[in-house]
Structures are given as structure tokens and as C-alpha cells.
Amino acid sequence: MITMSMWWFLTTLAITAFFYLPAYAYDNEPLQDTCVAVTDNQTSVFVNGKTCKNPKLATANDFYFSGLNVSRDVYPKFGIAVTVVGVKEMPGLNTLGISTSRADIEPQSLFPFHTHPRGTELVTVLKGTLLVGIFVSDPANIFKTRLLSKILYPGDVFVFPRGLIHFLYNVGNKKASLFGTYNSQNPGLITIPSSIISSTPRVMDTILAEGFQLNKTQIAELRRKFS
Ligand SMILES: *[C@@H]1O[C@H](CO)[C@@H](O)[C@H](O)[C@H]1NC(C)=O
Ligand SMILES: *[C@@H]1O[C@H](CO)[C@@H](O)[C@H](O)[C@H]1NC(C)=O
Ligand SMILES: *[C@@H]1O[C@H](CO)[C@@H](O)[C@H](O)[C@H]1NC(C)=O
């Protein structure tokens, strides 16, 4: 026999679960001091479905990364370089919900429109002058956004909320360097134009043409530029 108060309890529980469960879809709260990610399942224990190194075998190097003092070589076409320090590069980040990166952008170069599906990013400019922007959705019109942009100088900090499309453009005359920190051990990176135009396998030309309201000649041109 289920009483009224039990119904009330069960309903509250169901509503609470509904609101709290999605939080566990990404970086979990750690249940122990360390859960160093490993690929060798012979020396591992499972926590929250993840494979962890036996904590007794964890070493300082699992929590260490070296090399953010220098820029990677830039991608020639884009004039940008990025070094990500996520759980893949630093296994000790596993379950901690945090990661970092360094980006370098040549003068008049653009870190193209992109999104991090699993992390908010806090950028700190070390060198150079950057115009950054985020596109905020317009609840009244699904085809519109509002651009929030700002010029950043060394020491300035800007936040790109999780999932929002953003860009960074070097408006100065020397190379710009910045650090990006994320509240995810694996924030992900989806670059908007190239992810659509140069997917594998290719999306059909007619779909690209319809999606961008361009004709086939213009689509061929886009494909060439992003190949
Ligand atoms: C452990 O790894 C080996 C080799 O990758 C694989 O064949 C095996 O199925 C794994 N065992 C478990 C329990 O996941
Ligand atoms: C960057 O750091 C690494 C590791 O500490 C060091 O070997 C290298 O010399 C440094 N490079 C520069 C340019 O400072
Ligand atoms: C495609 O569009 C461009 C720009 O409007 C135009 O110059 C060109 O003639 C069009 N080509 C075709 C095949 O429709």
C-alpha cells in the first residue's frame, strides 16, 4: 500500500534524478584521490566505468606535462598552433574535470569559429592583441545570434561558455599567445566550417548547397579551400 507521503517522496526523487542525472553525463566527481587513466587493463581497477591505474602505482609523471613554454608549428593555411593538455596527454587528469591548452596565432590570422562541446573555456592572453567573439543564441529566432566581442591585451581574461561558437582573431602585428583552461578533462573541439565542409565521408553537395544557400560551383570552391 503506497501512502500519499510515499508518492510525494517518489515524485520528488524522480524530479531530482531528472535534474541531477545529466550532470553525470560528463566529468564525474572523483570518488578517490587519484584515478590515473590507463589503457592496460591488467593493472587497472574500474571506477565509475573508467579504467584507472592502481593508485599505488601512480607516479608524479602521471600528473605532469612539459612543453607549454613553446608554440607548436602553426598550421600553414590557418596561421595558428594549438597544444592541448587533456586526459590523453596527462592521464592524471582522469575524473578531475579540468584541462588546459596553449594557442598561438599569427598576425591577421583567425582561430576559426569553433565550439568545445563539453567544456567552458577561460582564456588568458599572454602576448599580443586579439579580437575575440562569442555567438549567443536568440531565443526569439532560431536563425539569429547576438555577437559579443572584445579586444583583449596581455593579462586579459575572457570566458567562452560551454558549447557556444567562438573565435579569436589576431588584430596586432606580432604573434599572439594565450592559455585556455577548461572545466572538463576532455572538452572536445569542433571547428565549424571545416567540420561540415570536409567531413569523412563527404556530405552530399546538394545538402551543402542547401545548408549554405550556395550553388554547386561555390560549393566546389569551398571544398577546394577546406580540403
Ligand atoms: C583487456 O585487454 C585485452 C587486450 O586489449 C582484451 O583482449 C581484453 O578483452 C581486455 N579485457 C577486459 C576485461 O576488458
Ligand atoms: C621548454 O621547456 C622544456 C622542458 O622544460 C625545455 O627542455 C626547453 O628548453 C624549453 N624551451 C624554451 C625555448 O624555453
Ligand atoms: C553561382 O553563384 C555565383 C554567385 O552568385 C554566380 O556568379 C555563378 O554564375 C553561379 N553559378 C551557377 C552554376 O549557377
Side-chain angles (χ1 to χ4, degrees):
M1 174 87 183
I2 296 179
T3 65
M4 221 34 211
S5 68
M6 274 172 85
W7 271 118
W8 181 242
F9 173 75
L10 288 173
T11 309
T12 310
L13 197 67
I15 291 170
T16 308
F18 178 79
F19 283 109
Y20 284 94
L21 278 178
Y24 291 98
Y26 46 104
D27 300 286
N28 298 309
E29 289 294 318
L31 298 176
Q32 64 292 308
D33 284 357
T34 71
C35 178
V36 177
V38 288
T39 44
D40 175 9
N41 60 17
Q42 298 304 303
T43 60
S44 59
V45 294
F46 289 87
V47 175
N48 288 349
K50 304 280 188 206
T51 310
C52 310
K53 198 179 210 181
N54 180 341
K56 286 182 192 150
L57 302 178
T59 67
N61 279 338
D62 293 327
F63 303 90
Y64 173 76
F65 178 90
S66 171
L68 284 197
N69 58 334
V70 292
S71 172
R72 282 260 168 88
D73 293 338
V74 298
Y75 296 103
K77 197 185 273 183
F78 297 100
I80 62 167
V82 61
T83 309
V84 173
V85 187
V87 68
K88 196 151 65 67
E89 294 75 21
M90 188 193 268
L93 286 181
N94 196 30
T95 75
L96 298 185
I98 193 166
S99 59
T100 192
S101 68
R102 170 183 173 140
D104 296 88
I105 309 175
E106 301 278 11
Q108 320 304 316
S109 286
L110 175 74
F111 200 118
F113 314 105
H114 65 281
T115 162
H116 306 288
R118 293 173 296 279
T120 288
E121 175 178 10
L122 205 54
V123 296
T124 305
V125 179
L126 297 182
K127 267 191 343 198
T129 313
L130 292 161
L131 171 69
V132 300
I134 51 182
F135 298 95
V136 181
S137 63
D138 176 355
N141 185 339
I142 61 164
F143 298 107
K144 291 272 182 202
T145 59
R146 209 151 60 83
L147 171 66
L148 305 180
S149 72
K150 185 88 184 160
I151 293 194
L152 304 183
Y153 302 95
D156 288 355
V157 179
F158 200 83
V159 65
F160 301 126
R162 177 159 74 106
L164 295 191
I165 298 170
H166 55 277
F167 65 87
L168 304 96
Y169 181 65
N170 184 347
V171 290
N173 53 21
K174 62 174 191 209
K175 198 166 174 172
S177 303
L178 58 122
F179 283 134
T181 305
Y182 312 85
N183 63 342
S184 166
Q185 67 185 30
N186 182 21
L189 170 60
I190 300 171
T191 306
I192 306 301
S194 40
S195 66
I196 297 168
I197 296 160
S198 41
S199 68
T200 308
R202 282 176 160 203
V203 63
M204 284 159 62
D205 280 3
T206 32
I207 290 174
L208 266 192
E210 185 63 24
F212 289 104
Q213 296 289 296
L214 296 171
N215 64 36
K216 293 266 176 80
T217 318
Q218 292 165 313
I219 291 302
E221 177 79 9
L222 270 184
R223 292 237 196 246
R224 201 161 50 246
K225 287 188 168 155
F226 283 90
S227 67

